[in-house]
Amino acid sequence: MPKKRKDTAPTIDEILETLCHRDAIEPLQMDAYLERLDEEWLLGARDKVLSLLRRRDPAAHSTAVYILSHLATEDDREVLEDFVTDPTVSDLAKLTLAPVLRELNSELAEEGLVEYLNDPEAAMLQMQSRLLELVGKSELGVEAVLEDVLSMPLERRLGFVDWLGRSHDPRAVHLLLPLLENQSTRVVMAAIDALEQLGSLAAPQAIPALNHLLSTSSNRLLKQHARAALGRLTMQATPGTEAQALADAARPTYPLYEARVSFIDGSGSQIIMLAWKHSEETVKGINLLCQDQWGIKDCYSTDEMTVDRWQRLVREMSDQGFTNFAVPPAYCLALIAEAVTLNRRGRHKLPIAYAIWRPLLTAEMQQHQGQPIPTALDPQPFTPELLPLVQKGDELFRWPEFASWMYEPLERIQPFMARYWGTIEFPQVPSASSRGRGRSDKQSQRATTDQRQALETVVEQALEELIDDHWRHLYERRLRRQGQLFAFAGRQQEVALIRAVAAALHPSSGLPLKEQPFVRAFLSLSIRQGPFRLLLETLDSDELQPLPGDLFPPR
């Protein structure tokens, strides 16, 4: 008889032990573990997760909160509140649950939790100590804490900053420095006071940060306050501290491992990836999402990651259609500098994660300032010799790097989508009398011809109404930026085609838009694929809503 196959699925206890060391778990495996816990949530998994909080192990506490933040619902609120009111549970475990209770709208989430602590003052001090310990480990810890802090009401935020100044802990500096950038005047003033209160503990890092604030801020009151604090910190420090601090700030903390960027998508967005070697086997870094009309829109840290995992992440991005290129570090840094300028010009707030990594990025920029690299191909004047290449402009849309290029904003091209799709006669089942007589094929060919003519008519109308000089300047620039990436990849034939199409697109080229296949294909694809794009955006939204506009008017 064949042996019965043994079930190798891990138990809930085994899953929880594995999750206590979750930094090494792949995202897909993590999803599988969470799904398994969710299936057995009311069959004992929830109680075992809560039992992790009874351990004297910060990793177990962190794992419990991670699971609860993903799986706990309002149905679990009463159980969690009973756990908090249990006198046998440690104060630290109760405080650890505060973010989860807040998400579940529990009355115990804030001040209500304090009355159930066995020793509130000692518990708070212990929690603050753990917070600073988390901050001292990595930039990701700083980011997690600051995101929580920035969600607080202003008065609580100011109280937290004041506590950092009174903590006399050098790790508090990691939280205070990012608060000097892109925050309200009251928060920045409080952060300056807290740095001054830390005194010599903060001086080596505070001096370069305050100098940066003086050189970039236009707020006269802040600059006066920062200048006064900088003077007092310098006087308190030992001679030579200021010069040494500025010299140290100009040197990167870690050696740069790799710089990569994604292609530019249809909205002008691009991902910049920078990794620094943290040890022989690990890297850490940031991913920035930049948009050429906004600047830096998002930024998030990558904590200590094995080199193999980093390389696998890069490959997976390419496999999923997010082509990315290895580029010189100076190119990445130039892109970041341009994006920051856009943020300031448009008064768009920089993400807090960028403020955490800004000192390291500034140091890298100083190291590479003698290596200027253009962020786009040089503009080329249009000449008749370029016309054969310009006539191949529609071929760009066969490349995956241009697959997402469609007309923006969507609402402007929507009426043209409706005009085109309103002319479509969808195929019908042929009658029995017409089968086998060739009528179906002729009708199909006639319908295809009619659709093509209808599309050409709508494209002609869109050319007149949608494409202006501003659009041409914007996409000419985007083409040249995309071409620079192809140049780094050594794809010279593609570079020549992109350069020619960009030259023709420039308003000064004199070549009519009707004679530019790139623009015609751009509009044609946007009109034909528009309804599917709208459908995808609707499905991606939180709630299923009807498609905007009347794309299929009655005939």
Side-chain angles (χ1 to χ4, degrees):
M1 292 180 63
K3 292 183 179 179
K4 188 176 181 181
R5 187 176 175 181
K6 186 179 179 181
D7 186 7
T8 58
T11 65
I12 294 298
D13 290 327
E14 290 171 339
I15 289 174
L16 294 178
E17 286 302 319
T18 304
L19 288 176
C20 286
H21 309 283
R22 66 181 183 278
D23 289 342
I25 300 176
E26 295 295 329
L28 289 177
Q29 185 62 58
M30 178 68 77
D31 291 342
Y33 285 153
L34 290 174
E35 185 176 348
R36 174 76 184 285
L37 288 168
D38 192 31
E39 290 172 356
E40 302 193 27
W41 191 244
L42 298 178
L43 302 176
R46 180 180 61 189
D47 294 335
K48 291 185 177 182
V49 170
L50 290 176
S51 70
L52 293 177
L53 291 167
R54 295 184 178 274
R55 298 186 190 178
R56 295 184 176 274
D57 180 5
H61 290 188
S62 174
T63 299
V65 171
Y66 178 84
I67 296 170
L68 289 166
S69 64
H70 281 77
L71 301 183
T73 67
E74 291 193 0
D75 294 335
D76 302 305
R77 182 170 57 197
E78 187 176 343
V79 174
L80 295 178
E81 288 175 344
D82 289 344
F83 186 85
V84 166
T85 57
D86 185 344
T88 64
V89 176
S90 71
D91 287 341
L92 196 55
K94 294 176 182 179
L95 288 168
T96 302
L97 274 178
V100 179
L101 292 170
R102 190 183 307 124
E103 286 295 320
L104 299 178
N105 298 315
S106 170
E107 294 179 357
L108 300 184
E110 305 296 343
E111 287 76 8
L113 185 62
V114 176
E115 64 181 274
Y116 293 103
L117 301 179
N118 302 322
D119 186 351
E121 187 175 352
M124 290 297 184
L125 288 173
Q126 191 176 9
M127 192 65 177
Q128 290 166 354
S129 174
R130 275 194 61 193
L131 183 146
L132 290 176
E133 183 181 347
L134 173 67
V135 163
K137 286 183 177 179
S138 71
E139 291 80 5
L140 197 59
V142 178
E143 185 179 340
V145 172
L146 285 179
E147 284 181 352
D148 235 14
V149 170
L150 295 179
S151 66
M152 297 176 180
L154 178 60
E155 293 305 321
R156 289 191 62 195
R157 225 179 310 162
L158 294 173
F160 178 79
V161 173
D162 178 63
W163 169 75
L164 290 174
R166 291 184 287 103
S167 68
H168 301 294
D169 192 313
R171 295 172 296 187
V173 180
H174 299 307
L175 290 170
L176 289 170
L177 295 183
L179 294 176
L180 296 176
E181 304 181 32
N182 293 288
Q183 302 303 316
S184 66
T185 300
R186 288 184 65 187
V187 171
V188 177
M189 297 272 276
I192 293 172
D193 291 339
L195 287 170
E196 187 178 350
Q197 200 169 2
L198 288 172
S200 58
L201 294 174
Q205 294 161 290
I207 288 173
L210 291 173
N211 273 297
H212 176 76
L213 177 61
L214 289 171
S215 64
T216 57
S217 176
S218 58
N219 187 318
R220 184 178 300 177
L221 182 62
L222 278 183
K223 292 178 80 168
Q224 289 176 348
H225 199 63
R227 192 175 288 111
L230 180 60
R232 288 190 287 268
L233 276 174
T234 305
M235 288 177 62
Q236 293 171 14
T238 56
T241 298
E242 182 178 11
Q244 185 62 44
L246 294 173
D248 290 343
R251 288 193 295 268
T253 313
Y254 312 105
L256 193 60
Y257 173 71
E258 191 172 32
R260 305 189 72 89
V261 296
S262 72
F263 63 86
I264 297 153
D265 71 9
S267 65
S269 298
Q270 187 174 28
I271 296 175
I272 300 173
M273 305 167 66
L274 285 165
W276 286 269
K277 203 74 178 284
H278 185 246
S279 69
E280 283 302 315
E281 298 178 352
T282 61
V283 296
K284 63 195 307 179
I286 50 169
N287 297 335
L288 300 103
L289 174 64
C290 301
Q291 202 274 337
D292 61 4
Q293 302 295 293
W294 176 287
I296 298 175
K297 297 195 76 170
D298 202 0
C299 174
Y300 57 95
S301 308
T302 55
D303 208 355
E304 298 175 29
M305 181 186 293
T306 65
V307 172
D308 288 344
R309 188 177 175 191
W310 166 267
Q311 293 171 347
R312 189 162 61 252
L313 174 66
V314 169
R315 289 195 301 271
E316 287 173 354
M317 285 183 65
S318 296
D319 293 342
Q320 293 168 7
F322 296 98
T323 308
N324 54 85
F325 303 79
V327 295
Y331 171 76
C332 267
L333 297 168
L335 285 178
I336 294 171
E338 286 183 0
V340 171
T341 302
L342 284 172
N343 280 89
R344 288 176 180 154
R345 188 181 301 158
R347 298 184 181 277
H348 300 140
K349 208 167 187 180
L350 285 159
I352 192 64
Y354 174 80
I356 296 168
W357 289 90
R358 199 268 313 154
L360 182 54
L361 289 170
T362 302
E364 288 289 354
M365 289 175 184
Q366 292 181 6
Q367 293 290 311
H368 292 86
Q369 61 185 357
Q371 309 167 25
I373 292 184
T375 57
L377 297 174
D378 292 333
Q380 180 180 14
F382 177 74
T383 61
E385 289 76 16
L386 294 176
L387 195 56
L389 281 175
V390 173
Q391 295 303 317
K392 299 178 181 179
D394 55 341
E395 293 182 7
L396 294 183
F397 296 100
R398 299 176 188 173
W399 307 342
E401 294 83 3
F402 286 89
S404 65
W405 282 43
M406 291 197 207
Y407 189 89
E408 298 280 352
L410 187 59
E411 54 268 19
R412 285 201 66 199
I413 200 170
Q414 214 169 296
F416 300 93
M417 290 158 44
R419 289 178 206 174
Y420 168 66
W421 284 96
T423 66
I424 301 298
E425 289 189 8
F426 294 98
Q428 299 178 352
V429 178
S431 62
S433 60
S434 65
R435 290 174 189 166
R437 300 183 184 180
R439 294 183 185 179
S440 178
D441 289 342
K442 290 179 181 179
Q443 289 174 352
S444 176
Q445 291 173 4
R446 191 181 309 118
T448 301
T449 302
D450 291 345
Q451 288 176 22
R452 190 179 298 114
Q453 290 174 349
L455 180 60
E456 287 298 318
T457 301
V458 175
V459 167
E460 293 284 346
Q461 296 168 353
L463 278 172
E464 293 291 331
E465 298 182 37
L466 298 181
I467 307 301
D468 55 18
D469 284 355
H470 173 74
W471 188 94
R472 294 177 72 168
H473 277 295
L474 175 63
Y475 278 88
E476 184 266 347
R477 170 72 178 170
R478 284 180 182 171
L479 281 167
R480 289 192 290 110
R481 287 178 59 215
Q482 192 89 296
Q484 185 68 51
L485 290 174
F486 281 77
F488 286 130
R491 296 163 64 176
Q492 296 306 321
Q493 288 186 342
E494 288 95 331
V495 170
L497 178 55
I498 292 172
R499 194 190 294 272
V501 172
L505 189 60
H506 196 280
S508 65
S509 70
L511 186 67
L513 289 172
K514 294 180 180 180
E515 299 176 21
Q516 298 190 34
F518 169 78
V519 184
R520 299 184 71 91
F522 192 102
L523 291 173
S524 176
L525 284 168
S526 299
I527 290 167
R528 284 190 290 117
Q529 297 181 10
F532 309 106
R533 183 179 169 200
L534 284 168
L535 180 61
L536 287 174
E537 289 184 3
T538 304
L539 292 174
D540 284 341
S541 63
D542 292 336
E543 295 182 4
L544 192 61
Q545 299 174 352
L547 292 176
D550 190 3
L551 292 178
F552 307 104
R555 294 183 56 80

